[in-house]
Amino acid sequence: MNFIKRAWLSLLAMTLLSGTATLVAQVTTDYDRSADFTRYQTYSWEAVHAEDPLFVDRIKTSVNAALASKGWTEVKSGGAVCIMAMEMTKDHRTLRTYYDSLGSGWSWGWGGGFGDGFGTSTTTEHTYTVGTLVVDLFDSTTKKLLWRGSAMGTLTEKSENNIKLLNRGVRKMFDRFPPDKKEHRAKRNT
């Protein structure tokens, strides 16, 4: 197979793989080990910051659904927990180099370089956007941070895909919420 066909097949495979990877979020969570989450059942939104204003309501809707599935109830004000969320994006850049061949004969010269048999290469720049959502839950009375979750994933040009990424990330973020003290003690004792 010649170089051009191999390069196109490689590019196609990377494109397909990156397309499926865009809907996967990396999620981390942490919480105050001394907090008794059984005391909390209501929450109120304090603030949501999103670079895209359309995502403010999408973030709230997604978090509300996750908390409702855990038996928590949103109240307009005065909830036992207040929630703050921040969405941000950052562009990342990668360089990809493709070599057409290593050539048939290399020559290592006195000057420290390779000879003419090394072949040619093509380097392309690829820029992609990574979105991060951080959700913080605070005790409304003490203002102490109780729980933090973050989800990060590669965004696409399609709004529908980014909404799916948001929803999957939030579901995964709240998968083991609220933290179980028994589970924490069991992990600490092992």
Side-chain angles (χ1 to χ4, degrees), residues 142-155:
T142 65
K143 306 299 183 205
K144 186 176 178 181
L145 180 65
L146 299 170
W147 183 91
R148 171 173 281 175
S150 66
M152 180 174 62
T154 304
L155 301 177

Side-chain angles (χ1 to χ4, degrees), residues 56-67:
V56 171
D57 287 337
R58 293 171 185 163
I59 291 167
K60 283 184 174 182
T61 299
S62 191
V63 172
N64 287 345
L67 288 174

Side-chain angles (χ1 to χ4, degrees), residues 69-125:
S69 74
K70 304 297 183 171
W72 284 40
T73 306
E74 178 187 12
V75 293
K76 292 284 183 199
S77 64
V81 169
C82 61
I83 300 177
M84 297 179 76
M86 176 180 279
E87 174 266 342
M88 60 205 113
T89 61
K90 185 175 181 182
D91 287 339
H92 291 264
R93 189 182 109 191
T94 61
L95 299 175
R96 295 183 179 140
T97 302
Y98 300 95
Y99 298 94
D100 67 351
S101 71
L102 291 178
S104 55
W106 337 354
S107 65
W108 183 257
W110 177 255
F114 289 102
D116 292 335
F118 194 62
T120 59
S121 65
T122 304
T123 300
T124 58
E125 179 181 330

